[in-house]
Amino acid sequence: QSVLTQPPSVSGAPGQRVTISCTGSSSNIGAGYDVHWYQQLPGTAPKLLIYGNSNRPSGVPDRFSGSKSGTSASLAITGLQAEDEADYYCQSYDSSLSEVFGGGTKLTVL
Amino acid sequence: QVQLQESGPGLVKPSQTLSLTCTVSGGSISSGSYYWSWIRQPAGKGLEWIGRIYTSGSTNYNPSLKSRVTISVDTSKNQFSLKLSSVTAADTAVYYCARDLLTTGFDYWGQGTLVTVSS
């Protein structure tokens, strides 16, 4: 049972927009801690996709965007491409003194 | 370009201690205000943060694993290490080391190493 809750799966057709939610609580996201997002392609290590709620590291396409409100955060992907098919994880800090991750969301490009 | 590489035994017996090392290349482990973390992922499951170390030796551990975890650093070798004691099958996972920006996520990751706990 993950501290941060994500939908197990989402899907979309090429070119469409999809969003992935990440729901926390008053001890993590709601406490003001930032949310970061990772993309994990099959058989590879996670890659930092969004940091500090809405910032993209160098090299990450602007098709990826993040937002945060209250006890939740969201990752949006526009202009969906086949290579976006991957698992996506949100991450934040919890006042239990631990970094915490969501359970992950599998994105399928139809 | 910073690179991280995990190394260590791929098979550990139950009740024994899992030991892994992460070698950092492309930069000094002591440079910058970076922390260094261990994260694991059981097959088909999500990510779990194990703990972090700063080059001063200061550590933070996941409370759920704290009693069994020790993370250390050897700046002369540009390495940091993980020890997890009293392992069980539940500790079977791919173990990743990562550069930890503390408040802005984990920006560089090793490729991961599978550790299986089995007799």
Side-chain angles (χ1 to χ4, degrees), chain B residues 9-10 14 20 25 36 41 58 70 73-74 80 88 95 102 111 117:
Chain B
L20 295 174
S25 59
W36 304 90
Q41 184 175 34
S58 171
T70 302
V73 64
D74 186 337
F80 64 106
T88 69
Y95 285 74
L102 196 61
Q111 66 184 29
V117 178

Side-chain angles (χ1 to χ4, degrees), chain A residues 34 36 38 40 44-48 51-52 89 91 93 96-103, chain B residues 39 41 45-49 52 61-63 96 101-107 109-111:
Chain A
D34 285 343
H36 321 299
Y38 301 85
Q40 186 175 33
T44 69
K47 168 191 170 184
L48 182 62
Y51 68 92
Y89 293 90
Q91 178 238 323
Y93 183 78
S96 64
L97 304 180
S98 180
E99 302 292 343
V100 290
F101 288 91
Chain B
I39 296 157
Q41 184 175 34
K45 297 188 178 181
L47 300 163
E48 180 180 34
W49 178 73
R52 61 164 56 99
Y61 299 133
N62 185 324
Y96 295 101
L101 301 174
L102 196 61
T103 59
T104 51
F106 306 102
D107 64 342
W109 296 63
Q111 66 184 29

Side-chain angles (χ1 to χ4, degrees), chain A residues 14-109:
Chain A
Q16 284 190 334
R17 178 181 186 269
V18 296
T19 62
I20 298 172
S21 62
C22 175
T23 302
S25 69
S26 58
S27 66
N28 40 69
I29 298 175
Y33 296 111
D34 285 343
V35 178
H36 321 299
W37 291 89
Y38 301 85
Q39 177 192 59
Q40 186 175 33
L41 298 170
T44 69
K47 168 191 170 184
L48 182 62
L49 199 62
I50 297 287
Y51 68 92
N53 306 316
S54 59
N55 301 289
R56 287 187 309 277
S58 174
V60 173
D62 59 6
R63 301 187 297 105
F64 295 90
S65 62
S67 63
K68 172 189 162 183
S69 177
T71 59
S72 296
S74 289
L75 173 70
I77 309 172
T78 58
L80 204 56
Q81 300 180 4
E83 60 257 37
D84 298 333
E85 191 159 287
D87 293 327
Y88 292 84
Y89 293 90
C90 60
Q91 178 238 323
S92 186
Y93 183 78
D94 191 271
S95 55
S96 64
L97 304 180
S98 180
E99 302 292 343
V100 290
F101 288 91
T105 298
K106 181 177 181 59
L107 169 62
T108 300
V109 181

